[in-house]
Amino acid sequence: MPHTHRPGRPSLTRRDGLHLAAAGTVAAGLAALSSAANAAGSAPASAGAPGGPAAERPRPVDAPAPGEGLTPGAIAHVAVTATTLWVEPDTARPGIDDPSLTRPVDLDAWNQNMQDTETRRWLTGELESQAVLGSEVIVDEIVGDGAHIVVTAQPTPRDPRGYPGWVPTVQLVVDEDFADLAASTPTATVTALTSTLTGTPSGKHPGIPVSFDTILPVLGRTAHAVRVAVPGGRHAYLPAEDVVVRERGEQPPLPTAEDIIATGERFLGLRYLWAGVSAYGFDCSGFTYTLFHHHGITIHRDAGNQMHDSGLEPVEREDLQRGDLVFFATEPGGTSIRHVALHLGEDQIMQAPNAARSVEIMSLTEYDPTGEYAGARRVRLAYPTV
């Protein structure tokens, strides 16, 4: 979760949002995209397309409807650019948070609705986390049009299965075919900050946007595009230059500290968003979680847990290296962790600090004039070859 540990109630809070297709332009989300993709879907994958027969099979004609099959215990997948997890259902602000609650979502519009700091800061304590398109979730409870879920890719001591929160049911889909493909085929990981699903390899019939670090099953490849499975749809295309394709079970190469830092620098200037884990906004721990996750390293979702529960090596302040995680308490000498940043060396840190600011680089000393520095942890990384 973001940074603050909340006694009594297990570390609360997170977020949502993304691209609500403009009527008549971005075809009504995945339904229209599936139709366009079906029309173009006869285009064969290249001879060397990864995945074999399973990857080449067509998506089912009757795609599951949003929210269909959501029952306690069901495995579902996120079917929007990013879904926001709320602490409690039905607490969103009418006219402000609406773009984050629909299918498709519109994170740009949501961010635009929160230009002033106080409106954005209101989210603190109301949100838990986000999960991007294709993320696996476990459904615990359905109440009205809301579902309590856990996101299996985001570790937390709060629940051994994953990170918990409430999301709109319309943003989830139970799609067994997609789940089978996700477990059996190569994958495409989005490396662009954002990209757009399209119905054809040439980029026609645009659908919903996708965020950095979205991972989708690969169905085939053309010269300039990758054909991917989409939860609740048949298939769609992403530009080849916007993704990296990995074989089933293949892990990203172990990154160096310079790899992690270079990835973080791509987000400099991105406005802070409490609970954010997408290219539409990060909170402090969402930023560090996503940087490492993108490079194949999973750490806990929240700052305090990144320090205490991820099994990372403690580092003394005088031994800090580039790429280390540095943590700050709620008060000098305190043990409740409120913030995490990435150490860059020479007294510099990179961070997503708070609702008034954006991803930035600044002096560690300047950031911490009152001595709230609480310690550091080192993620095992590769050393650059000389």
Side-chain angles (χ1 to χ4, degrees):
M1 97 180 283
H3 11 275
T4 309
H5 171 72
R6 296 161 185 73
R9 184 166 202 155
S11 311
L12 301 176
T13 319
R14 271 342 111 204
R15 16 313 273 238
D16 164 282
L18 235 22
H19 256 212
L20 180 62
T25 55
V26 181
L30 295 177
L33 181 60
S34 293
S35 177
N38 189 46
S42 57
S46 62
E56 294 167 4
R57 70 182 184 227
R59 299 286 285 144
V61 174
D62 298 321
E68 180 181 321
L70 292 181
T71 57
I75 301 295
H77 289 84
V78 175
V80 293
T81 312
T83 187
T84 298
L85 281 64
W86 292 76
V87 173
E88 301 289 351
D90 303 320
T91 53
R93 298 161 293 178
I96 296 176
D97 302 313
D98 296 346
S100 73
L101 305 174
T102 51
R103 175 172 173 169
V105 293
D106 189 345
L107 256 188
D108 283 335
W110 193 33
N111 274 319
Q112 188 62 38
N113 288 346
M114 298 184 293
Q115 287 298 301
D116 70 277
T117 298
E118 288 308 311
T119 302
R120 186 167 293 252
R121 183 177 289 138
W122 178 91
L123 296 174
T124 303
E126 301 296 336
L127 301 183
E128 297 282 13
S129 189
Q130 283 182 327
V132 296
L133 177 70
S135 296
E136 180 189 85
V137 306
I138 300 171
V139 179
D140 274 346
E141 182 181 6
I142 304 291
V143 176
D145 57 3
H148 189 267
I149 64 168
V150 297
V151 182
T152 59
Q154 297 180 14
T156 173
R158 296 172 58 184
D159 191 314
R161 300 169 302 162
Y163 210 96
W166 289 89
V167 301
T169 56
V170 73
Q171 295 180 350
L172 302 177
V173 65
V174 175
D175 186 340
E176 293 182 1
D177 193 63
F178 178 86
D180 289 345
L181 289 168
S184 63
T185 69
T187 57
T189 299
V190 177
T191 55
L193 299 190
T194 61
S195 188
T196 302
L197 292 169
T198 60
T200 68
S202 62
K204 295 180 180 179
H205 305 295
I208 64 172
V210 292
S211 171
F212 177 84
D213 205 38
T214 295
I215 303 174
L216 297 172
V218 171
L219 302 175
R221 304 180 76 168
T222 69
H224 302 291
V226 176
R227 186 159 58 105
V228 295
V230 181
R234 293 187 179 86
H235 65 259
Y237 294 88
L238 287 168
E241 69 262 23
D242 287 355
V243 302
V244 59
V245 175
R246 295 190 175 96
E247 295 301 319
R248 176 188 173 193
E250 179 186 358
Q251 292 298 308
L254 189 66
T256 66
E258 301 313 310
D259 293 330
I260 298 294
I261 291 168
T263 299
E265 288 174 339
R266 298 175 64 195
F267 296 100
L268 290 173
L270 177 66
R271 183 79 180 269
Y272 175 98
L273 180 67
W274 174 262
V277 297
S278 81
Y280 294 85
F282 295 106
D283 64 17
C284 70
S285 56
F287 182 55
T288 52
Y289 165 85
T290 301
L291 294 186
F292 286 99
H293 185 267
H294 188 69
H295 287 278
I297 299 171
T298 299
I299 60 177
H300 277 66
R301 169 60 180 86
D302 292 340
N305 305 134
Q306 289 177 7
M307 180 171 179
H308 296 300
D309 302 301
S310 286
L312 303 178
E313 175 190 354
V315 180
E316 296 298 325
R317 187 163 185 167
E318 59 269 23
D319 297 326
L320 283 172
Q321 297 178 5
R322 284 170 65 82
D324 288 342
L325 295 173
V326 292
F327 298 89
F328 303 86
T330 54
E331 60 185 357
T335 58
S336 180
I337 302 302
R338 64 168 181 82
H339 186 56
V340 59
L342 188 70
H343 189 253
L344 305 184
E346 299 182 350
D347 197 46
Q348 298 291 297
I349 57 174
M350 186 188 308
Q351 62 177 353
N354 57 53
R357 290 151 68 181
S358 303
V359 176
E360 63 185 13
I361 294 173
M362 71 177 301
S363 162
L364 189 161
T365 302
E366 180 184 350
Y367 174 75
D368 185 33
T370 59
E372 294 173 349
Y373 180 89
R377 297 290 184 267
R378 180 166 297 154
V379 180
R380 187 176 70 87
L381 301 171
Y383 291 98
T385 56
V386 179

